[in-house]
């Protein structure tokens, strides 16, 4: 595996899931694969779970790890071609990337959407430059449009906690005070569509996700109807994707607090489990009583980030 961006990169999901549970039972089983191999983690944006879980997964596999924070301790990087570099950016990504490739065997990239230029974001401009110029296997640690490591961990968590063979899983929009990218909901929808679950997506009208990620998933604009009989509720905010109106891309066009997931919302479900990728704005996305309830899976979900990344890194090491 040379790249890991979307669900199709992982191959058959049943095999990937079996591998995940194998690794969870023995996290150091494949430590020999990473001996004398180096992972470089490149962060253009802040991180907690991704940084810690990815580094831990690499260490479990015997790898050396280099962490580069582009905006703290490195030259500011220009990412676009054709610009006259007479500002505060001292180095171009096109030189920096092949240099980075000289010092490692695998590269993980984290780079968020700018939320001003939809075409630029959805072309995955920064990530694609790493794939093209680094000469190394590259995986996404959340990008402008996807967060596959999170979605893989979400699927592992659902598999561990489901009580029926094909659970009903609801991805619900929730309000937020800042404009957030669509990466997490995009990947969650994509991975759930590929899995054996009944996926329903609920959000205010105008917040439709890109069809290439949601495919044929059911969309229900009535949140209560969507929640009815659900086994899992996955809450996440996203800014307007600009699908129905490109001029709205990246904007907050709805601030309806009635979408906040509270005890009443969860009462509509089939004793549903609550999920969120974290970090979460309490009492905006979800109320204290829901996230602290026995049905909250946010901590096991975060813990499984180590497992999803271990599978990805193992596959990449085996292909070197």
């Amino acid at each position: 595996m040379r790249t890991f961006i979307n669900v199709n990169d992982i191959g058959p999901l049943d095999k990937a899931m079996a591998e995940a549970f194998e690794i969870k039972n023995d996290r150091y089983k494949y430590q020999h694969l990473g001996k004398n191999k180096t992972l470089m983690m490149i962060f253009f944006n802040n991180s907690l779970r991704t940084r810690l879980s990815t580094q831990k997964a690499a260490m479990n596999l015997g790898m050396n790890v280099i962490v580069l924070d582009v905006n703290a301790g490195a030259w500011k990087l220009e990412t676009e071609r054709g610009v006259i570099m007479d500002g505060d950016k001292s180095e171009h990504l096109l030189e920096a990337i092949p240099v980075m490739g000289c010092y490692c065997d695998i590269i993980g990239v984290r780079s968020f959407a700018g939320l001003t230029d939809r075409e630029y974001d959805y072309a995955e401009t920064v990530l694609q430059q790493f794939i093209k110029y680094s000469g190394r296997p590259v995986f996404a640690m959340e990008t402008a449009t996807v967060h596959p490591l999170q979605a893989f961990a979400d699927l592992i968590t659902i598999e561990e906690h489901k009580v029926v063979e094909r659970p009903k899983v609801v991805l619900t929009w929730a309000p937020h005070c800042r404009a957030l990218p669509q990466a997490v909901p995009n990947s969650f929808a994509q991975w759930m569509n590929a899995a054996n679950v009944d996926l329903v997506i609920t959000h205010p009208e105008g917040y439709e996700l890109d069809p290439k990620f949601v495919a044929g998933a059911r969309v229900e604009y009535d949140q209560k109807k969507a929640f009815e009989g659900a086994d899992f509720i996955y809450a996440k905010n996203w800014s307007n994707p600009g699908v129905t109106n490109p001029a709205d891309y990246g904007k907050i066009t709805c601030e309806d607090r009635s979408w906040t997931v509270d005890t009443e919302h969860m009462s509509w479900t089939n004793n549903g489990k609550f999920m969120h990728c974290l970090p979460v704005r309490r009492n905006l996305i979800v109320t204290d009583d829901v996230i602290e309830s026995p049905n909250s899976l946010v901590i096991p979900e975060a813990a499984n980030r180590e497992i999803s990344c271990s599978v990805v890194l193992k596959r990449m090491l085996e292909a070197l």
Side-chain angles (χ1 to χ4, degrees):
M1 187 165 66
R2 290 285 301 180
T3 58
F4 178 70
I5 305 171
N6 297 308
V7 67
N8 54 294
D9 294 325
I10 203 72
L13 270 184
D14 57 344
K15 292 183 179 179
M17 294 297 288
E19 210 165 314
F21 290 116
E22 177 192 24
I23 287 172
K24 192 162 187 176
N25 288 329
D26 185 355
R27 296 169 197 239
Y28 305 101
K29 182 175 181 179
Y30 297 100
Q31 197 172 46
H32 61 283
L33 291 176
K35 184 178 181 181
N36 298 327
K37 298 293 190 296
T38 298
L39 167 67
M40 181 173 287
M41 301 162 58
I42 300 162
F43 291 90
F44 289 85
N45 302 91
N46 295 335
S47 173
L48 189 152
R49 277 147 298 278
T50 297
R51 179 188 294 259
L52 297 178
S53 62
T54 305
Q55 189 163 355
K56 181 65 165 62
M59 293 167 64
N60 291 352
L61 290 164
M63 300 186 76
N64 303 310
V65 181
I66 299 172
V67 179
L68 178 65
D69 287 297
V70 171
N71 297 316
W75 300 113
K76 289 187 176 181
L77 295 177
E78 179 58 62
T79 61
E80 297 193 45
R81 287 179 172 274
V83 298
I84 297 173
M85 292 176 57
D86 58 357
D88 64 342
K89 295 177 180 177
S90 304
E91 186 163 8
H92 203 288
L93 206 60
L94 294 180
E95 285 78 60
I97 289 173
V99 169
M100 294 175 194
C102 293
Y103 306 140
C104 65
D105 300 282
I106 297 173
I107 295 176
V109 180
R110 184 176 178 93
S111 178
F112 291 172
L115 296 180
T116 56
D117 185 337
R118 191 180 194 280
E119 184 177 349
Y120 181 90
D121 287 344
Y122 273 71
E124 290 290 3
T125 306
V126 172
L127 179 68
Q128 290 301 328
Q129 289 184 82
F130 275 93
I131 292 171
K132 185 174 182 179
Y133 298 112
S134 70
R136 303 297 180 192
V138 175
F139 66 96
M141 300 192 301
E142 188 170 3
T143 68
T145 67
V146 293
H147 198 350
L149 289 173
Q150 179 65 55
F152 189 6
D154 296 333
L155 183 56
I156 294 168
T157 307
I158 289 171
E159 186 67 23
E160 288 179 315
H161 293 273
K162 70 181 185 180
V163 294
V164 295
E165 183 62 26
R166 191 169 189 266
K168 180 179 179 180
V169 178
V170 177
L171 169 61
T172 180
W173 179 91
H176 203 281
C177 54
R178 296 180 56 197
L180 299 183
Q182 300 96 43
V184 169
N186 281 345
S187 279
F188 185 79
Q190 186 185 59
W191 282 69
M192 292 304 115
N193 272 329
N196 185 30
V197 306
D198 176 17
L199 175 64
V200 178
I201 303 174
T202 185
H203 53 70
E205 292 193 42
Y207 271 75
E208 291 77 13
L209 294 167
D210 193 300
K212 73 178 181 181
F213 297 109
V214 301
R218 284 191 292 148
V219 175
E220 173 57 68
Y221 296 108
D222 185 321
Q223 192 183 28
K224 184 173 184 179
K225 286 183 179 179
F227 274 46
E228 288 175 353
D231 299 291
F232 296 90
I233 299 296
Y234 196 100
K236 185 67 181 80
N237 172 267
W238 60 89
S239 61
N240 196 303
V243 172
T244 56
N245 184 1
D248 286 336
Y249 175 64
K251 296 179 180 178
I252 297 175
T253 54
C254 179
E255 300 181 64
D256 187 351
R257 296 290 179 92
S258 72
W259 285 77
T260 299
V261 179
D262 59 16
T263 301
E264 181 184 357
H265 285 71
M266 295 304 292
S267 73
W268 304 333
T269 70
N270 181 31
N271 194 33
K273 304 293 193 298
F274 177 80
M275 301 178 69
H276 188 280
C277 61
L278 302 180
V280 65
R281 300 268 184 158
R282 284 181 174 230
N283 302 305
L284 192 58
I285 296 285
V286 58
T287 55
D288 289 333
D289 51 350
V290 171
I291 198 170
E292 293 176 10
S293 77
N295 277 15
S296 174
L297 298 180
V298 296
I299 303 305
E301 186 180 356
N304 278 330
R305 290 291 307 280
E306 176 188 343
I307 307 306
S308 64
C309 189
S310 295
V311 175
V312 171
L313 287 174
K314 172 183 175 289
R315 297 277 186 93
M316 288 188 157
L317 286 168
E318 288 172 335
L320 288 177

